[in-house]
């Protein structure tokens, strides 16, 4: 099995920045992609970004392109989401996930971390 633990969420003012982390452990060798998602109250879960473990190829949703950056540290089995120019509409629970394919079929999910952006 795989365990994912998100951290770095919190309260930030509009225009500010946060850096989320997701540490992976367990059976990850056969899974080549990790992604970030978010879900706001009353809305469906939204894809944000994905990254391939080995070569660092990335994919972004249009809504966050240019503001959010996904990266990884293979030695630490950790993926990051740097979020800049945050807006109140970015308020949501943010999840990381791991899977296969591209941009990914995800089969393990973290518990989420709350991001709240105030106006």
């Amino acid at each position: 099995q795989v365990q994912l633990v998100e951290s770095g969420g919190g309260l930030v003012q509009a225009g500010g920045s946060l850096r989320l982390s997701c540490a992976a452990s367990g059976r990850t060798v056969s899974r080549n992609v990790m992604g970030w998602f978010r879900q706001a109250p009353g809305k469906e879960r939204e894809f944000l970004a994905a990254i391939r473990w080995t070569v660092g190829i990335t994919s972004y949703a249009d809504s966050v392109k240019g503001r959010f950056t996904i990266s990884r540290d293979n030695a630490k089995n950790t993926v990051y989401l740097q979020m800049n120019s945050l807006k109140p509409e970015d308020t949501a629970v943010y999840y990381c996930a791991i899977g296969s394919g591209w941009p990914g079929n995800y089969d393990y999910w973290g518990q989420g971390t709350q991001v709240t952006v105030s106006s």
Side-chain angles (χ1 to χ4, degrees), residues 48-93:
L48 300 175
I51 188 167
R52 291 181 179 269
W53 278 112
T54 56
V55 298
I57 296 173
T58 59
S59 179
Y60 294 93
D62 289 341
S63 61
V64 302
K65 193 175 299 181
R67 297 193 298 126
F68 292 7
T69 302
I70 189 170
S71 62
R72 88 278 194 243
D73 186 333
N74 289 355
K76 297 180 179 180
N77 292 318
T78 299
V79 66
Y80 306 93
L81 186 68
Q82 178 67 46
M83 305 186 295
N84 299 326
S85 301
L86 285 164
K87 308 172 182 178
E89 52 263 44
D90 293 320
T91 296
V93 178

Side-chain angles (χ1 to χ4, degrees), residues 2-16:
V2 177
Q3 287 188 320
L4 303 173
V5 180
E6 302 100 334
S7 62
L11 176 64
V12 65
Q13 290 186 330

